[in-house]
Amino acid sequence: MSDTKNLSAVERIKQKSDGLRGTLAESLQDEVTGAIREDDQSLVKFHGMYQQDDRDRREERAEKKLERLYSFMIRLRLPGGFLTPEQWIALHHIAGENSTGTIKITTRMTIQLHGLLKSKLKPTIQAFNQAGLDSIATCGDVNRNVTCAAHPLQSELHEQIHAYAAKISAMLKPKTHAYYEIWLDEEKLADRSEEEDPLYQDRYLPRKFKVGIGIPPNNEVDVFTNDLGLIAIIENNILKGFNLAIGGGLGATHGNPDTYPRLATVIGFVPVTSGEEKLLKAIYEVLTIQRDYGNRSDRKLARLKYTVDKYGEEWYKEELARRTGFPLETARPYTFTERMDYYGWQQNHKGLWYYTPFIESGRILDDEKVALKTALLEIAGTGKANFRFTANQNLILADIKKKDKAAIDAILQQFGILQHTEAASAIRKNSISCVALPTCPLALAEAQRYLPVLIDKIEDLLGKHELSNENIITRMTGCPNGCGRPYAAEIGFVGTAPGHYNMHLAGDHEGMRLNKVYKENLDEAGILRELDLLFWLYKKERATGETFGDFAWRQKWWRPG
């Protein structure tokens, strides 16, 4: 069991929080500051928000003896990443009225809004509620947004598999009524026993927990980067069940060798042909094991990956079987052959059409390149397309009937979306970056504001070496916590200081292999100098059809000296 004597400060805050209520109601009423009370900053995460401040303006405000420009980021709970056109319209207007206006697609198939002032939090959540949306448990030490392979083209059974995302999300949602009392002004429960939570109890999990569902052969959700990955096993067009993979997670800390990225380990198979009860029971008990055995003293070592490595795979399978009442079956064979979004127009087996535009770094706004935000509002206004988010920070205009395709295509043409998507290079289309500066308090360097500029220069190098069509998966984060999944990229950049990054190489195309640190603390000139040499070698010595990541792995470029 986890150490209950040396609990971290956050553990004590959770236990005395009165079901995640704390003093949030009082913090919201305090007009003297744009911040909330210190303990409440931990609790508000469970409600789907982070307190942040504009780091670009810290120095200016300090000189004027003003407090930091505090604001909040809010994230929606969207299992499987789905919105109706009506919900998109609501989201568009909420973003414009209450936040910076930019809609950010995350790597977990949902959206987040930045720059909300404290006074805008309740109006925002109430507006979301009117649209049938909420932000419950999108942050904090609970199960986060459940991801699932987004494109129905992936399988004729996509609808059946996709439904599990909502079922898992509902099963693992905290039972506390605090969200409804604080943000929606619902009456307080007369009997608190109604919100007793057998899963989370009063301490919740030691750290965040992520579940992802992958459908071979496309691993676009990066299923092995999740605490719990479910791999759909389909035989003769029948969903037989899911392989379970445990212990994925990419967060690390510079200079702390006890922390590391890890891909999940496949531990067995659970059938669903005779019902879904066993699967849901297994998922539930994976969380109870982490609740009981995860590290509650050191939050840097509190993810499931460290629990698995501490106790061992065999112990974990035995403990899971003891709690579920049945052993896992032997894992079934599966094959991932790609990890990508299907850009442009695609048609599924039902004759419905889907269009995936390229959205750089997941930022939906109108800029000098393309009026993306206006175009999407126009499309939502037709009521002819649903919105599906991908784990690669894109969205899919979905479920479009044949008779409506021309109308959607005309809007895409009118606003330059078709041209923008077609013009983007392969390396740009397969890039991801986290938010980083100026709002993320953990960021050491830029990411979403800088990666597009760096890609411009990498494109020039690829052109120089006649490699412009190479589909190289490239990702950047402003710190080592891994939100943009840089450790699972062919080329990963991890911020170390302003303008400096560790460069990682040799991840694969399918998401089955982590990369390795190649060079540390490079500035832009250093990055471009190294890539110039590496692209020259790749062009000169690669095998036929060999990807850049596999070539780097074969060359073992990460070895010192």
Side-chain angles (χ1 to χ4, degrees):
M1 292 287 183
S2 60
D3 185 355
T4 57
K5 294 180 181 178
N6 301 305
L7 295 177
S8 69
V10 174
E11 289 299 319
R12 299 185 189 283
I13 291 169
K14 287 186 289 187
Q15 288 189 6
K16 68 178 186 179
S17 70
D18 189 22
L20 304 179
R21 291 170 177 84
T23 58
L24 273 168
E26 292 81 357
S27 280
L28 292 174
Q29 292 171 1
D30 184 354
E31 297 179 359
V32 174
T33 174
I36 57 177
R37 298 175 184 179
E38 187 174 352
D39 284 4
D40 291 335
Q41 292 172 31
S42 293
L43 298 178
V44 80
K45 297 175 184 179
F46 292 81
H47 299 254
M49 286 156 270
Y50 280 90
Q51 179 176 293
Q52 303 178 329
D53 76 282
D54 188 339
R55 292 172 61 181
D56 286 348
R57 299 184 63 183
R58 276 186 184 177
E59 188 174 334
E60 164 208 339
R61 293 181 70 83
E63 288 177 358
K64 295 178 180 178
K65 297 188 174 7
L66 297 172
E67 79 168 3
R68 292 177 177 179
L69 185 56
Y70 290 111
S71 65
F72 294 80
M73 179 274 284
I74 187 167
R75 189 182 288 154
L76 284 178
R77 185 173 63 97
L78 300 176
F82 180 86
L83 282 179
T84 66
E86 295 79 17
Q87 288 173 324
W88 182 267
I89 292 169
L91 171 63
H92 175 100
H93 293 305
I94 293 166
E97 293 166 8
N98 296 340
S99 76
T100 61
T102 299
I103 297 170
K104 170 75 174 182
I105 305 173
T106 79
T107 54
R108 294 206 64 75
M109 302 176 67
T110 184
I111 66 94
Q112 58 192 40
L113 302 180
H114 288 262
L116 283 85
L117 299 179
K118 186 168 72 171
S119 61
K120 294 290 188 180
L121 291 178
K122 282 187 74 167
T124 297
I125 292 179
Q126 289 173 356
F128 280 147
N129 185 63
Q130 290 175 358
L133 301 169
D134 67 65
S135 63
I136 300 169
T138 53
C139 314
D141 300 343
V142 286
N143 176 61
R144 302 284 186 89
N145 199 53
V146 181
T147 61
C148 181
H151 207 299
L153 187 70
Q154 198 57 57
S155 168
E156 293 185 13
L157 301 177
H158 181 270
E159 190 174 348
Q160 178 186 355
I161 297 168
H162 199 268
Y164 279 102
K167 292 174 185 176
I168 294 166
S169 180
M171 177 178 70
L172 303 180
K173 189 170 77 168
K175 300 293 189 290
T176 175
H177 196 250
Y179 179 92
Y180 305 96
E181 293 174 10
I182 294 168
W183 307 107
L184 302 178
D185 295 325
E186 292 188 10
E187 289 187 16
K188 294 182 179 180
L189 291 175
D191 183 2
R192 285 288 175 87
S193 66
E194 293 179 30
E195 62 175 26
E196 285 183 6
D197 198 328
L199 172 59
Y200 294 119
Q201 300 173 354
D202 66 345
R203 52 194 173 136
Y204 300 89
L205 297 178
R207 277 297 298 274
K208 59 187 174 184
F209 196 96
K210 297 178 179 180
V211 179
I213 306 171
I215 307 176
N218 188 2
N219 186 24
E220 49 104 352
V221 298
D222 260 330
V223 69
F224 298 105
T225 65
N226 289 273
D227 295 89
L228 174 59
L230 307 177
I231 303 164
I233 303 299
I234 301 170
E235 298 172 4
N236 300 319
N237 209 30
I238 296 172
L239 177 64
K240 294 294 187 176
F242 295 87
N243 282 349
L244 268 58
I246 60 168
L250 299 185
T253 302
H254 287 317
N256 184 346
D258 292 333
T259 67
Y260 46 84
R262 186 189 194 279
L263 292 181
T265 303
V266 176
I267 59 170
F269 171 82
V270 181
V272 297
T273 46
S274 59
E276 61 192 27
E277 294 77 15
K278 275 191 170 183
L279 176 69
L280 296 178
K281 177 66 172 173
I283 293 168
Y284 185 92
E285 298 300 350
V286 166
L287 269 79
T288 68
I289 294 174
Q290 178 59 2
R291 178 198 66 202
D292 295 341
Y293 286 92
N295 189 321
R296 292 184 182 269
S297 300
D298 187 346
R299 289 181 63 78
K300 294 185 187 305
L301 302 176
R303 292 287 295 277
L304 176 62
K305 60 184 175 181
Y306 301 113
T307 309
V308 173
D309 286 346
K310 178 181 179 179
Y311 290 96
E313 180 185 336
E314 290 306 314
W315 173 90
Y316 199 99
K317 288 194 287 188
E318 290 173 7
E319 181 64 17
L320 184 59
R322 186 182 71 79
R323 294 187 181 215
T324 60
F326 59 87
L328 297 178
E329 297 182 13
T330 302
R332 301 284 180 93
Y334 62 92
T335 303
F336 285 117
T337 59
E338 60 187 6
R339 184 171 43 143
M340 60 185 290
D341 285 346
Y342 300 136
Y343 290 101
W345 282 109
Q346 304 282 347
Q347 190 177 25
N348 78 345
H349 64 287
K350 292 182 178 179
L352 295 174
W353 286 92
Y354 299 80
Y355 183 82
T356 305
F358 169 58
I359 303 174
E360 193 153 30
S361 295
R363 301 180 75 212
I364 297 176
L365 71 164
D366 292 345
D367 61 17
E368 67 281 357
K369 294 180 181 178
V370 64
L372 181 61
K373 191 177 177 188
T374 298
L376 294 177
L377 180 64
E378 191 90 2
I379 289 169
T382 70
K384 300 180 186 302
N386 289 316
F387 291 71
R388 293 182 182 274
F389 300 110
T390 80
N392 293 314
Q393 298 180 319
N394 287 304
L395 67 77
I396 303 167
L397 299 169
D399 312 313
I400 300 165
K401 295 177 182 176
K402 182 179 180 180
K403 66 182 179 64
D404 297 326
K405 179 175 179 280
I408 302 300
D409 194 74
I411 297 172
L412 294 169
Q413 187 81 38
Q414 174 191 348
F415 288 95
I417 309 300
L418 293 174
Q419 303 91 313
H420 175 70
T421 298
E422 290 168 6
S425 66
I427 192 170
R428 195 176 293 274
K429 284 179 177 174
N430 282 282
S431 65
I432 294 177
S433 61
C434 70
V435 172
L437 296 169
T439 52
C440 179
L442 302 176
L444 304 170
E446 296 279 0
Q448 73 173 14
R449 295 195 297 193
Y450 173 56
L451 183 59
V453 177
L454 182 62
I455 292 286
D456 288 341
K457 298 173 183 180
I458 295 175
E459 285 172 338
D460 290 342
L461 291 178
L462 289 169
K464 171 184 173 181
H465 296 290
E466 301 179 328
L467 295 169
S468 294
N469 293 326
E470 289 300 318
N471 174 10
I472 301 173
I473 298 172
T474 307
R475 297 169 178 175
M476 175 180 282
T477 55
C479 82
N481 283 289
C483 295
R485 305 198 296 274
Y487 308 110
E490 291 179 277
I491 303 175
F493 299 104
V494 179
T496 57
H500 290 75
Y501 301 85
N502 288 347
M503 189 161 82
H504 297 240
L505 297 176
D508 64 353
H509 250 239
E510 299 78 29
M512 308 285 287
R513 180 179 70 228
L514 292 176
N515 54 30
K516 302 277 189 178
V517 177
Y518 168 65
K519 290 287 177 71
E520 294 184 338
N521 213 32
L522 294 175
D523 61 8
E524 182 180 280
I527 290 169
L528 296 176
R529 183 175 59 250
E530 295 295 337
L531 287 178
D532 192 13
L533 172 62
L534 298 177
F535 290 157
W536 176 77
L537 288 169
Y538 176 50
K539 174 69 175 178
K540 182 171 174 280
E541 300 179 5
R542 65 176 172 172
T544 302
E546 189 172 31
T547 64
F548 181 76
D550 285 349
F551 179 70
W553 184 261
R554 181 164 62 87
Q555 297 295 320
K556 296 181 172 54
W557 280 335
W558 61 87
R559 286 185 176 175

